[in-house]
Amino acid sequence: DTTLAADEEFSFTVEVVPQECVPAQPQMCASASGIQYCNDYGLFEYYACSGGCANDVCGTPTGQACFDAIPITSGQSLTSNFQGTNAVRPPDGVIGGCTFGPNDRPVGPATVYRIDLQTDDVLTASYTSGTSFAMMYLMGDCDNDSTCIDNTVRGSTGVLNYIASQPETVYIVMDRALESSSSATFTLTANVSQSCQVGSPPVCNGTQLEYCDGGLSQSYACSGTCTNGACDTPVGAACIDAVPVNAGAMLSGNFGGTNTFDPSNMAGACNFNNDPPIGTDTFYAIDLAANETLTAAFTSTSSYAMVYIMTDCFDEQTCLANSQRGSSGQAVYTSPTAQTVYVVVDRALGDA
């Protein structure tokens, strides 16, 4: 009988307890086999350690909590799966330097790793996985969502780079965009190198163009030959290979290329209204005279398309003007001096 009666009864209990601790305060061994830590509500909770507890840390870290993060070092590859607990769950949207879109919400069982960096160290964290729902993000403190540094979109592979500005510990979180657990595996690899000299000119190495991008040493394969630090046939797949265009040009393309640049929601003078460009991008270079006004207008079959203008597309803080996402729009900029600017066609969707 599925008939609902208005006079059916229920009961519940309310318990009020005083705050016991300060959230994120240092954890401590509560016994020889477990840790006591302060949860988000200011109450103590118990965490059973693998390998016992000594000196306020678990003997065998499992990565199922921030304070139980698995250490990883440069050159090391570690393999695990998505059958743990959901110990880290940053909110949707823009948080810190991360953007978690509607298709890229880290809601699954997470595994937390930590790596120690020195000033000017470049961390390259990459993964491969047997599931296309895998994703990765970096945090300065995985108990504080606002310290989220950068994230990948969901996919079976992903790479993140980070340059340390001081000695610090960075947390690498492997997660997935499905809440259920999975036996699908992932392999996380961490490499640490030294940053390159910002502003050093690009050089040709055969058909490869080698350059410094914000301190990261990068290599770009030209579509053809390379001469005097530039690709001879630019295709716009990266800022270093921007397609030169003149006023009045009408160009067409698609979003089947690569994703080489992801500016933040608020970048320089640009405001993407929580729809930052995280998709594949195409770069164009335009020379402007003093007091010339550039109008970069587009139409697209994608409602996620957008365009923005920059003076240095290696530095998001030089973003000058932008459209919002949509099937049409424009960005307008008046140049105070003679200069080269870059027009980037991008979209607010991570998938190609």
Side-chain angles (χ1 to χ4, degrees):
D1 185 0
T2 59
T3 302
L4 299 179
D7 59 352
E8 289 182 338
E9 298 181 353
F10 65 88
S11 63
F12 68 97
T13 301
V14 175
E15 181 183 9
V16 178
V17 297
Q19 181 175 339
E20 299 174 332
C21 53
V22 178
Q25 74 181 49
Q27 73 277 359
M28 64 187 74
C29 289
S31 67
S33 58
I35 275 180
Q36 177 178 270
Y37 69 98
C38 190
N39 67 19
D40 292 339
Y41 303 103
L43 300 176
F44 283 120
E45 287 195 33
Y46 181 81
Y47 177 89
C49 287
S50 175
C53 186
N55 300 319
D56 297 330
V57 294
C58 293
T60 306
T62 62
Q64 298 307 300
C66 291
F67 54 77
D68 196 26
I70 300 169
I72 187 170
T73 58
S74 180
Q76 192 173 15
S77 295
L78 299 176
T79 298
S80 188
N81 57 39
F82 299 97
Q83 291 188 319
T85 58
N86 189 353
V88 185
R89 187 167 182 170
D92 302 346
V94 178
I95 181 73
C98 296
T99 300
F100 298 109
N103 297 321
D104 304 300
R105 300 168 58 240
V107 296
T111 303
V112 185
Y113 300 84
R114 61 177 175 84
I115 187 167
D116 296 326
L117 303 175
Q118 300 301 314
T119 304
D120 294 329
D121 276 353
V122 178
L123 167 64
T124 299
S126 61
Y127 75 86
T128 59
S129 176
T131 172
S132 61
F133 290 97
M135 58 190 306
M136 174 177 63
Y137 47 99
L138 307 180
M139 303 190 75
D141 176 358
C142 64
D143 285 319
N144 184 349
D145 293 333
S146 66
T147 68
C148 199
I149 297 168
D150 199 3
N151 65 283
T152 67
V153 296
R154 64 179 175 89
S156 57
T157 63
V159 179
L160 292 174
N161 294 300
Y162 173 68
I163 302 176
S165 59
Q166 60 185 356
E168 59 183 311
T169 297
V170 171
Y171 294 87
I172 308 169
V173 186
M174 285 300 306
D175 209 326
R176 73 177 200 143
L178 286 179
E179 292 188 8
S180 58
S181 63
S182 171
S183 60
T185 62
F186 64 83
T187 298
L188 171 67
T189 301
N191 285 295
V192 178
S193 59
Q194 283 295 297
S195 60
C196 56
Q197 181 61 48
V198 176
S200 56
V203 296
C204 293
N205 183 5
T207 59
Q208 297 283 323
L209 192 58
E210 296 180 350
Y211 62 99
C212 185
D213 177 3
L216 299 175
S217 295
Q218 302 280 21
S219 181
Y220 176 82
C222 292
S223 177
T225 56
C226 182
T227 306
N228 297 326
C231 297
D232 294 323
T233 308
V235 296
C239 184
I240 197 72
D241 192 29
V243 177
V245 297
N246 298 317
M250 296 187 65
L251 304 159
S252 62
N254 58 45
F255 297 100
T258 57
N259 179 13
T260 60
F261 188 67
D262 289 337
S264 304
N265 181 54
M266 302 286 289
C270 295
N271 181 352
F272 295 102
N273 286 332
N274 292 328
D275 273 320
I278 58 174
T280 55
D281 31 51
T282 304
F283 298 83
Y284 301 92
I286 301 175
D287 293 328
L288 297 177
N291 300 316
E292 282 189 328
T293 297
L294 167 65
T295 300
F298 74 92
T299 60
S300 175
T301 56
S302 170
S303 61
Y304 290 92
M306 60 177 61
V307 66
Y308 48 99
I309 303 170
M310 310 187 72
T311 56
D312 179 355
C313 51
F314 293 133
D315 182 1
E316 66 173 31
Q317 295 306 315
T318 69
C319 197
L320 303 167
N322 68 287
S323 73
Q324 299 305 314
R325 75 171 178 91
S327 57
S328 64
Q330 65 180 30
V332 180
Y333 170 69
T334 300
S335 178
T337 60
Q339 62 179 330
T340 298
V341 299
Y342 298 90
V343 175
V344 189
V345 181
D346 208 327
R347 66 177 192 158
L349 193 64
D351 297 334

